Amino acid sequence: MQREHARRGFSIYVHQKVVLEIDFSGSLWGYTEITIVPSSKDLKTLHLHSRQCTIHSVRVGSHAADFVFHDPLANLSISSPQDCHTHPELKRRVYSALAESDEGELSIAIPKEVSLRQAGHAVTGIVSEAATPEPQTPGPMAAPALPVPEFAPITVTIEYSIRNPADGIQFILPSDAYPYRVPHVYTTPSSPDAARCWVPCLDNLWEKCMWDFEFIVPRHLEQRDAPLDEDDELPEGENPTVVVCSGEFMEQVAHPYNSGKTIFLYSQRQLTSVQHIAFAAGPFHVHPIPADLSSAEDASGTSQPVMHAFCLPGHEALLASSVSFMRSAMSFYSTEFGSYPFMSHKLVFVDEMPTQRFDSATLSLVTVDLLHGEDAIDQVFETRHCLSHALACQWMGIDIQQKTWSDTWLVNGLGLYITGLFIRKLLGNNEYRFRLKKDMERVLESDNGSMPPICQPQVLDPPDSATLPFINLKAPLVLHILDRRLGKSGTSLGLSRVLPKVFLSAISGEMLNNAISTHSFLRTCRKVSGIDPRSFAEQWIYGSGCPTFGFSASFNRKKMAVEISMRQEAPAFKAHENNEISKALMKPVPFFEGQMTIRIHEADGTPYEHVLDIRSPFKRYEVPFNTKYKRVRRNTKRYLARQAAAQAAAEGDAEAAAAMDMVDMGFGLEIWENEKERENWKVADWTEEDEQNMAGQTYEWIRIDADFEWIAAIAFDQKDYMWVSQLQRDRDVVAQYEAILVLSKVPNPIISSTLTKTVLVSNYYFRIRCEAAQALVTCAIQRLEWLGLFHLFKLFLRYCYEPEDPRQDLFSHTYVPRPNEFSDLAEYFVRKSLLRAIARVRFDNGKTPSVIRQFLVDQLRYNDNTTNPYSDAFYICSIISALACATISTVPPERGEFTATDSQPVQDVQDADLLKQALAEVDRYRSMDRLIPTYHNVVTVAVIEFHLMLSVANLVPHDPRLFFPLTREGNYTQVRMAAFDYLFFTKWYTPKIMRYVLAVILALLVTMGEMRTLKENDSVLIEEDGTIADKTKENKKSDMDMMIKALRKDRELGKNEIIREFLMPIALAPETDYEVRWSLLKLADLLIRGTEEAPPKVTIHLPPTPVVEAPPPLPSVKVPLKSRPSFKSGVPPTRTPSTPFPPKLKLPPSSSQTDVSVRTPSALTPAADKLDVFVVPKPPVPKRPIPEKEREKEKEKEKKQQKNVPKAQSSGMSLNDLRASRNALKKLQTHKHAAIFLQPVDPVRDRAPNYFDVIKHPMDLSTMSAKLEQGKYKDRFDFEGDFRLMVSNAKSYNPPGSFAHNETLALETFFEKQWVRINKTLEAADRTVQSRAPPPPSAPPARAAPVRPTPLPPAPAPIPSTPMPSAVAARPSIKLKVGGASQDISAAPAKQAPKPKGKKVQERAPSRVLSPVTAPEYIDDGSADLLEEVIAIEREKDEERKQKITPTNSEKGKDKEKHVPKLVIGKRKKIADEPEEDEILALAKPPKREKPTPSPPAAGPSAAAPTAPQNGVGGPSTLRNGTVSSKSKQKAPKPTPVPEPPSEPSRPSAKGKEKEVSPPTATPSKAKKAPAEVTPINEKKCREILKTLTKLSDARIFLKPVDPILDGCPTYYDEIKEPMDFQTLSTKLSEGQYATMEEFAKDVELIFKNCRIFNPPTTYPDQCCNALERAWKKEWAKAMEKRLAWNEKRSLQSIMNRLVADPVSFVFREPVDPIVLGVPTYFDVIPRRDARDLRTIRQKLDADKYDTIEAWEADMELMIHNAKLFNGADSEVGQVAVVVRSKYREMLSGIRSSTTKRKGSEKATPQPAKKAKLG
């Protein structure tokens, strides 16, 4: 990623300057100056990123430059914009647009006046990316200087403006609904490419430069009704406009021309990415955060970074209390982790942020929601965590960033980790550890196999938005347990020693580009601690999942040891156990290793720690016991002393309580010691049996993983009283929390009493007390006589007025609360937790006791906050939420569901009355919140949620009008979101509501994924019922599919007219922002079935069709049918693109006496319909006898080719067999077990490196499909044989029981069933056909087809006496249709015509290459007579009509037919004077891939055989679509005879031996056109290029030949004379028609050339062509990259192996480490870029970085030179260097001599031949 500039041709340098004027009405305008340094003298074009901008002008240097600006996302278009079913196409286009944007939307051409001057190699103070050495190696004589030259910088000035942007920048402006909103503007991370949306730049996280900013803004903004102070000197307004920007504030100056404006100047001197640049402008209130004078820094505070906070007018009172802690955070981070990397820090609170926070260099934009006043309690925790994390990100995230996207976990994790350390200092260790425990529970819940590893080095894309929250949750936990494990080494303090080194290396410049990688971080950990963290990383960083432990303990009295059994399971690994693919992707860890600390609290109260080494899934450990007491003895002196201390503590002796070291002694124990109070509280005591068991125990309790070193679910089996002891006596909050979790699962009176005691004890941390209150709900059951509920009421009674009667029944008491007093924050949270717990109590029927609902209504009714210094808004919300929970039953009715048609649940009078009271109280608070707003209207939000829950439960009618006004603009954002939630739970799909929702498109952002209606969610389930979670997970997949189907079929949802009408227009609108568009596409995926995208049809406006000239009618010639040679590989059919040609066409009887069946989609013009036969004059054609054997073979072949066979049947497969095989193949390919057989095995991708060593004949379904379509199968049994081969291969390679083996068996079973059925069907069909088939006729003359010879120019020179009827002639070409068979019969003269001048000739290879061995001897069977006669007639007619008929395009479109697998012989007649240029010129050039064979007599004519009609899509041809200009017609010279070598008799091939070509002696012009340097064809590379290109979506229209009818372009072949497409390319490649890579490239470029000729610019085909051409250039550059020959590379690797094995090379084996070797100045003498060693050189050699042996030798010389330069030539190292040099030179000379010898002697071997051509 840091080498992007190498591909781009330049690197950003020094700085970018941005000058912007902001008018606060939705517009920005200005310019930016970007200074770049070219890295190549060939730099012609600059590509920059820019979206939404209007580019006015571009100047490079001082010269105006041409530029092209194209924003793909702003120009989205689909085939049917109004059709909502085309949303998959839109999604694809969005993906394509995003991919296209990566290259840059703004392209700037460097003017010719700008010269790229080289500035030398010197490196100044700023190290630029341009100075980084490239992979190429310097030459042998290169000095140890920079290998890449530096060029003089170039300044690019871009003037631009922005109006109403959708992404990247947010204008907050007053509106009719919100007239008093304060206008302001700020940058926003609304999309991943937000930076380019407000400034042209290089939008890349790793592209950094310095920055200068100038912002021009109005001095003051108009303040409506703003009061002015008497002494206010600012008449325009009381709040001047302020601009806050990344970097350091330089100055504010007055505008030179406009006194109403001011200019803010900022400068960022540190290299920063544009993605870390932000600004905000508006009338902000400025709050300086004072320096911490008590810190370790000097008292003046001058060395502390300047810190400011900014907020909008009206929030000033909240700002100071919200940011007061920030200075302490800065001091903590600076002290612990090194100095602050910048000079200042700024916080700006703004409205309507799409995210909670946007961090940039020195500046954090924060949502105004985080502001809170002095009276806030709940919001303080969130605000402090969020803002302290924002500051931590300046160290880790802004100054230091990830090296690759896979390192995101480390940057995010370290930022959150150091934030947690500050939270520990700020809020205490208990809060820190409790949060860690809660986070660990969330990780365990998610990391069960559904989440990937937090680091995936093989994934090059940014983390998905669905997994990023999980990464941010797990990463700090992983770092925490890494810190704990490093601290165990004894020599380290954990990460507290590692992190300062990391931050120091960033500030000092040691960290390259300030980019940290996982590997370098782990290496630093290893250096600091001495522990190798590789196994830890494999499990927790590169692997997924978390372990589950089961422990049990027992005491062995004989051994005096505690026996602990451990069992470990990995749920994530189990989830993927049977799926090899998901196992490879998710990398679940099957077993976690490491050490775990357990702590045994023995009988004397002393904790002893022991370390368990976990190395197997199950193990039994024996832990030694230390205490001499065998059990807890209650009558010892120690025990009695503890009892006395407890009594003293109960009486109030604080010192005695402290001496007890017990948590539960911190409160007055009168409740538990006083019998009367114990009776009032219903305290339960242990039974005598429990007391005896407790007395007999040898230890009090055991802690597992006491040091929090594991993220694991741990189940430990120990007695209840041990858990109680752990809860009461262990000071660790995690231990107390774990005890509460276990105790809540075994409800009994003692547990209830213990939990009650925990809530009462103020020494417990308040979160533990809250958890204990929630656990009491499990004891509130009828079996325990509702003891838990009694205790909850008793505990809450402390906040209420006491009943007059001490023995008042708490279940009938009216709880009137005392006035609120929240000064004790712990009691405030406990009180809220008690409310939630009471609301969760249920009868067995799922209902809440009425006393609870009355209790909650009373809390709302009597709440009094008049004397409370703190706000009770969140407390009121808790009561309303609890009341909603208590009102709804958790058990559905007997039917198990509520539906929209059900009546309300049956309620008794009391329930109805309580519901009425609850609604009245809740609505009262809603009215109060409207009059006296609470913090962010949280009470209104709670009221909306209350109504939402009750309406979903069908307790109250759902009236959308109730909260509809709250959805409108002007309400607080959270209120609007809650109101929209309420709206979406009603019939939101009604047209009126849907129109409104789509108008307020913002609603879709917050409701996606949350939409449920009664139709969607059949059963109403309440979250408090914990029994439903498992059932939901089980049915999740099937239910989801069914729900989606139901949604799409639903008349009101999937068929909703409003959604279908407006969905696509909104998604296509250019002003639609990133989130809205993706949300709409997600909605479309759910509700609307997408149509499969067909290849796009290009509609092109064509000029008027020219008049087709019809030649005069010609008399017909009837030719008697004789046996004649067949041309299986001969000529593809021709096509004329005028009108469709039906599959069965009866030609008019006037022109033919036979019916001709044509199986091709060709077309005939009306004129062509009449030109069936004509008379051709007879030239004298000599005959030649045909051997008898050849005649017999010809007859056999003739029978096979009586019909015009498709390509798939070219080997003789019957039509029924073909259909059956295709049907079977289709079913196989779509079978669920066929995934691994769909494509060929790739040893690298499929991790089977030895596959081709084991399997010699690989086979797969795609290969079978290709063979089937290419006609490689003779019958269906050949097809079956290949399937058997594939199955056999899979069984041979994969062991039984493996995934692949099981899939093979399943697929084979399926095939057997299908194949048996197919065989029976076909056998029955064959019997039926045989019974009906008449004897084969002998082709009577009456069925003779009309002859359609091709007109020729005037008779050429005499034809030699060896005619070749088996091949197509050079000039005369006659096509006969007889009895439905269509074949070419041509006489081939042995003379060749030289190439016409001005014509570019390229030899066209035939469509099928057949082995010359199969060519039969020629035997005269009479066909030569026929041929002679027909040719003579044709020539005679040509002579008569010479100069009378002008050439026409009678053969338009025939080029297209190369890939139509049916041969239609009998094309439209050519004009008489039209020369067969293809056939003439093709003889002038032999195929390049085959040398001339010793049988030249057959070469000339046979090579001509396939070339006559081969001017279709298959490639460029000299005939160019069958039309020849009059100029070329006049200049066509006479053919030159080719002498016939007498060494061997002619052996013409009936199948067309197209590769046997005579040497081009008759074409001297060929030598002139031969390229000076060519690259031999490399079929593998060409295949890879084709595979890559054809996979692109833009390649669809180029995959197959153009069909003028189907594609709607009837004049295509008039304009395009040399058509080309990828299918033709592939065929030519298969047939070996390319001899060089340049020929292949020429055909590919011909595709693009044709497209641009036929299609106007900016049309869809042109856009596809441009995109495809860019991809082609990339792939071509890769393919043509020169590398060492395989034998040279292997030889050099052998030399290096020997050198490394030689002891003398020990000093050169590894890179120099200045710290380890004690040479800190090494890189001062030897630049780091020039450092070389054997390992580095070997890595470059293995990575193909060397293109010649000399390049490798240059690096070796550089290594020797470095050693002598640093150590001296006479030093020991210098002498060793000389020895190493002599050794490798000696070995290298041997290699060179052998290579030279091999080049001279073994010219026929493939590798040296390739090397010779490359050279």
Side-chain angles (χ1 to χ4, degrees), residues 399-616:
D399 184 46
I400 299 177
Q401 61 208 22
Q402 57 268 41
K403 188 172 184 180
T404 63
W405 284 118
S406 62
D407 301 315
T408 303
W409 81 272
L410 181 60
V411 172
N412 293 8
L414 283 174
L416 288 163
Y417 175 74
I418 62 178
T419 303
L421 297 181
F422 172 69
I423 292 296
R424 180 171 65 182
K425 175 181 180 295
L426 187 68
L427 302 178
N429 190 55
N430 285 339
E431 176 74 10
Y432 174 67
R433 289 182 64 83
F434 186 83
R435 288 190 179 201
L436 282 180
K437 182 65 178 176
K438 283 292 190 181
D439 287 346
M440 189 190 79
E441 289 182 345
R442 285 194 283 271
V443 169
L444 291 173
E445 184 179 349
S446 301
D447 204 4
N448 53 7
S450 59
M451 288 294 173
I454 57 175
C455 180
Q456 296 176 285
Q458 74 277 11
V459 178
L460 304 179
D461 296 324
D464 186 58
S465 58
T467 59
L468 191 59
F470 171 75
I471 292 174
N472 293 341
L473 182 65
K474 186 177 180 180
L477 286 176
V478 170
L479 291 170
H480 171 77
I481 63 175
L482 175 63
D483 171 63
R484 303 301 299 167
R485 296 192 183 189
L486 293 180
K488 290 286 185 178
S489 65
T491 60
S492 168
L493 298 175
L495 292 184
S496 60
R497 287 281 302 278
V498 174
L499 295 182
K501 288 183 177 295
V502 171
F503 292 120
L504 180 62
S505 66
I507 292 177
S508 64
E510 291 181 20
M511 183 183 292
L512 182 63
N513 210 27
N514 275 16
I516 190 171
S517 68
T518 304
H519 178 71
S520 62
F521 175 73
L522 294 175
R523 188 171 64 239
T524 306
C525 293
R526 178 176 55 81
K527 287 182 179 179
V528 170
S529 66
I531 296 177
D532 187 358
R534 277 182 296 184
S535 63
F536 176 88
E538 288 298 327
Q539 295 172 14
W540 297 103
I541 299 174
Y542 300 119
S544 67
C546 295
T548 300
F549 287 102
F551 284 94
S552 61
S554 60
F555 183 69
N556 190 324
R557 296 183 181 275
K558 292 183 179 178
K559 297 182 179 179
M560 282 299 289
V562 179
E563 294 180 346
I564 297 179
S565 299
M566 181 278 301
R567 183 184 300 277
Q568 182 192 138
E569 293 180 352
F573 184 79
K574 280 190 173 181
H576 299 287
E577 195 168 11
N578 298 321
N579 191 334
E580 296 295 329
I581 297 175
S582 63
K583 201 187 299 184
L585 290 175
M586 308 297 277
K587 290 187 171 59
V589 180
F591 170 69
F592 289 80
E593 296 181 349
Q595 293 183 336
M596 180 180 288
T597 302
I598 65 166
R599 186 178 297 146
I600 301 179
H601 293 258
E602 299 188 2
D604 61 349
T606 308
Y608 292 92
E609 288 193 352
H610 306 273
V611 177
L612 306 183
D613 194 17
I614 297 174
R615 290 288 177 265
S616 61

Side-chain angles (χ1 to χ4, degrees), residues 18 52 100 174 283 293 300 562 677 756 837 1011 1433 1578 1669 1792:
V18 181
Q52 301 182 152
E100 188 177 346
L293 301 181
S300 65
V562 179
E677 285 296 323
T756 305
M1011 294 180 293
I1433 295 171
N1578 186 327
E1669 189 174 31
R1792 282 178 170 154

Side-chain angles (χ1 to χ4, degrees), residues 1511-1724:
N1511 39 6
V1513 182
S1517 66
T1518 53
L1519 185 56
R1520 298 185 184 273
N1521 211 22
T1523 54
V1524 179
S1525 64
S1526 59
K1527 181 180 177 181
S1528 60
K1529 178 181 69 178
Q1530 294 164 4
K1531 291 186 178 183
K1534 295 182 179 181
T1536 305
V1538 179
E1540 181 175 301
S1543 58
E1544 194 175 327
S1546 320
R1547 297 181 57 194
S1549 167
K1551 295 186 179 180
K1553 289 170 61 177
E1554 49 272 68
K1555 287 199 175 183
E1556 295 184 5
V1557 204
S1558 59
T1561 56
T1563 55
S1565 61
K1566 181 182 175 184
K1568 296 178 183 177
K1569 295 189 177 182
E1573 180 180 351
V1574 295
T1575 307
I1577 191 71
N1578 186 327
E1579 186 173 346
K1580 182 179 178 183
K1581 287 185 178 179
C1582 294
R1583 289 286 179 202
E1584 290 174 355
I1585 292 175
L1586 283 179
K1587 184 178 180 182
T1588 304
L1589 294 181
T1590 53
K1591 279 185 177 179
L1592 298 176
S1593 58
D1594 295 304
R1596 291 187 177 182
I1597 61 176
F1598 304 107
L1599 294 180
K1600 293 183 179 180
V1602 173
D1603 187 324
I1605 306 305
L1606 296 180
D1607 297 332
C1609 47
T1611 63
Y1612 183 81
Y1613 291 105
D1614 299 349
E1615 299 180 39
I1616 304 302
K1617 310 303 182 185
E1618 299 181 34
M1620 181 56 59
D1621 61 277
F1622 286 124
Q1623 186 176 336
T1624 306
L1625 273 172
S1626 179
T1627 305
K1628 292 182 68 176
L1629 197 59
S1630 302
E1631 295 169 356
Q1633 296 188 34
Y1634 296 118
T1636 65
M1637 297 290 282
E1638 286 75 16
E1639 291 180 7
F1640 173 78
K1642 185 178 177 183
D1643 270 4
V1644 177
E1645 288 163 359
L1646 181 61
I1647 295 176
F1648 307 138
K1649 178 183 174 184
N1650 291 344
C1651 180
R1652 292 194 175 102
I1653 290 174
F1654 192 76
N1655 301 289
T1658 73
T1659 57
Y1660 173 77
D1662 183 66
Q1663 293 174 356
C1664 292
C1665 177
N1666 294 337
L1668 203 61
E1669 189 174 31
R1670 285 195 294 270
W1672 151 253
K1673 287 179 179 178
K1674 286 183 184 178
E1675 297 300 322
W1676 181 247
K1678 292 179 187 176
M1680 295 303 288
E1681 182 183 2
K1682 291 186 178 181
R1683 296 180 180 177
L1684 280 171
W1686 65 277
N1687 54 342
E1688 292 176 344
K1689 179 178 176 181
R1690 189 174 62 181
S1691 302
L1692 292 181
Q1693 288 172 332
S1694 174
I1695 290 177
M1696 298 209 70
N1697 290 338
R1698 283 182 279 170
L1699 275 179
V1700 172
D1702 196 323
V1704 76
S1705 66
F1706 72 98
V1707 294
F1708 298 107
R1709 290 175 185 166
E1710 295 293 329
V1712 173
D1713 190 329
I1715 298 174
V1716 174
L1717 299 178
V1719 284
T1721 62
Y1722 182 80
F1723 289 121
D1724 299 336

